[in-house]
């Protein structure tokens, strides 16, 4: 007499265990939000996703680099504007002292102010810094990484705005002749400072273009990475519900068979 179908029970138990394994994977994906939670999920997909992730993170850092560059250029712009203001005042003094109506005492006072103006220019050149790097007292190039890969960079040529670089040393307005000659010197210094401001503006615009490009590229790569590595929550939830229904069905089947077996054995023992 056959009272227990072992093959049916074995099939149900095997399917139950297989479904349980699948449910664990589905729960891992739902909990982590990652479609590729570990290498065994999709080995080749993991390699591609990590490459994309490196590019996305590199582009994100490049944007922070460029933001630092823009901040530095803004500081340089403010410094150059300050130098330009000092030069404009110095030119006023030169024009004023080129006039023969000035007394010696007036010229001495103007000379003192002129020296203070030149000291202010040197103070800006030597003390204007960004993250401890001098930006107006040195003409060394500054390299900015604007991308995630080697070679994706731009070079900013910093400028020197000291009185030595502007050819404004040992100035005098103590005579009308000195003051008259100083006007041309100051005109050249003002022109050079204006050129430096133009360079700063062009660098600023170039970096902004690179930032826009990096932002667009990062968004596209992030979208691709999301499609590859992120969990499709709706799909995984449907998978989970389907597996749960199958698992419940196998539980009921095994439970029912065992109950029938127990009932038969109970009858036979009476």
């Amino acid at each position: 007499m056959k009272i227990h179908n072992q093959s049916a029970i074995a099939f149900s138990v095997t399917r139950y265990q297989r479904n349980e394994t699948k449910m664990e994977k589905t729960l891992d994906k739902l909990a982590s939000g990652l479609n590729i939670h570990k290498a065994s999920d999709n080995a080749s997909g993991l390699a591609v996703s990590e490459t994309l992730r490196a590019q996305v993170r590199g582009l994100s850092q490049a944007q922070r680099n460029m933001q630092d560059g823009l901040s530095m250029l803004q500081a340089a712009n403010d410094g150059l504007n300050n130098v330009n203001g000092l030069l404009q005042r110095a030119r006023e003094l030169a024009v004023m002292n080129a006039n023969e109506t000035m007394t010696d005492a007036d010229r001495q006072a103007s000379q003192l102010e002129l020296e203070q103006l030149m000291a202010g220019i040197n103070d800006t050149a030597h003390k204007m810094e960004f993250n401890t790097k001098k930006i107006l007292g040195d003409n060394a190039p500054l390299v900015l990484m604007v991308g995630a890969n080697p070679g994706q960079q731009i070079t900013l040529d910093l400028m020197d705005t000291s009185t030595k670089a502007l050819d404004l040393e040992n100035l005098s307005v103590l005579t009308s002749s000195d003051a008259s000659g100083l006007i041309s010197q100051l005109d050249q210094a003002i022109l050079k400072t204006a050129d430096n401001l133009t360079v700063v503006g062009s660098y600023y615009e170039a970096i902004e273009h690179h930032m826009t490009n990096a932002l667009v590229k990062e968004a596209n790569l992030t979208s691709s990475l999301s499609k590859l590595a992120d969990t499709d929550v709706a799909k995984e939830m449907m998978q989970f519900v389907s597996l749960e229904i199958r698992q419940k069905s196998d539980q009921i089947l095994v439970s029912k068979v065992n109950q029938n077996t127990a009932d038969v054995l109970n009858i036979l023992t009476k």
Side-chain angles (χ1 to χ4, degrees):
M1 178 176 63
K2 183 185 290 187
I3 61 173
H4 194 164
N5 189 337
Q6 292 291 344
S7 61
I9 292 294
F11 176 78
S12 295
V13 170
T14 300
R15 186 169 63 180
Y16 177 88
Q17 293 173 340
R18 187 167 60 248
N19 287 342
E20 188 172 29
T21 300
K22 290 181 179 179
M23 287 182 69
E24 289 178 358
K25 291 183 177 180
T26 298
L27 286 173
D28 284 342
K29 291 179 180 181
L30 289 171
S32 66
L34 297 174
N35 187 45
I36 306 176
H37 188 57
K38 48 183 178 287
S40 60
D41 293 334
N42 185 344
S44 60
L46 179 65
V48 174
S49 69
E50 288 308 300
T51 299
L52 288 174
R53 199 182 308 279
Q55 290 295 303
V56 169
R57 295 184 63 172
L59 285 168
S60 181
Q61 181 59 54
Q63 290 176 68
R64 291 192 290 272
N65 292 348
M66 287 184 279
Q67 190 60 59
D68 287 342
L70 290 177
S71 297
M72 185 211 68
L73 289 174
Q74 184 61 56
N77 185 81
D78 292 342
L80 286 170
N81 280 328
N82 181 60
V83 169
N84 186 61
L86 294 173
L87 291 173
Q88 293 288 355
R89 175 54 185 163
R91 191 179 190 282
E92 286 181 2
L93 290 176
V95 172
M96 181 175 68
N97 284 275
N99 191 21
E100 292 289 349
T101 61
M102 300 291 290
T103 65
D104 289 343
D106 293 333
R107 295 183 190 282
Q108 287 288 347
S110 294
Q111 180 67 28
L112 180 61
E113 183 180 353
L114 179 64
E115 291 171 359
Q116 291 299 315
L117 291 172
M118 295 302 105
I121 290 174
N122 282 328
D123 188 64
T124 300
H126 297 149
K127 295 182 180 179
M128 177 69 73
E129 296 179 346
F130 184 83
N131 194 29
T132 73
K133 292 181 69 70
K134 295 185 184 301
I135 57 178
L136 289 179
D138 191 0
N139 56 4
L142 179 70
V143 178
L144 286 182
M145 283 294 293
V146 296
N149 302 314
Q152 295 180 343
Q153 57 193 35
I154 61 173
T155 301
L156 310 181
D157 292 320
L158 301 181
M159 56 282 299
D160 187 351
T161 58
S162 64
T163 54
K164 181 178 181 180
L166 295 175
D167 192 24
L168 294 176
E169 294 187 306
N170 302 317
L171 304 184
S172 172
V173 288
L174 294 177
T175 67
S176 60
S177 177
D178 289 342
S180 181
L182 180 57
I183 295 174
S184 296
Q185 273 185 274
L186 289 169
D187 282 341
Q188 291 300 313
I190 290 171
L191 182 60
K192 187 172 183 179
T193 302
D195 288 341
N196 287 336
L197 280 167
T198 301
V199 170
V200 168
S202 65
Y203 284 154
Y204 200 98
E205 187 175 5
I207 292 175
E208 285 186 325
H209 287 311
H210 282 292
M211 282 194 69
T212 300
N213 292 337
L215 183 62
V216 171
K217 189 174 181 180
E218 182 190 9
N220 291 335
L221 289 176
T222 299
S223 178
S224 298
L225 177 60
S226 177
K227 291 175 183 177
L228 177 64
D230 291 350
T231 298
D232 185 336
V233 176
K235 178 182 177 181
E236 293 301 328
M237 280 301 300
M238 290 296 295
Q239 173 80 347
F240 179 78
V241 170
S242 176
L243 291 171
E244 190 174 36
I245 291 173
R246 293 177 188 176
Q247 197 173 43
K248 294 290 187 184
S249 298
D250 288 329
Q251 284 179 330
I252 293 171
L253 177 61
V254 172
S255 176
K256 189 65 176 177
V257 170
N258 287 338
Q259 181 63 46
N260 291 340
T261 301
D263 290 343
V264 171
L265 290 173
N266 186 44
I267 292 172
L268 292 175
T269 57
K270 290 182 179 181

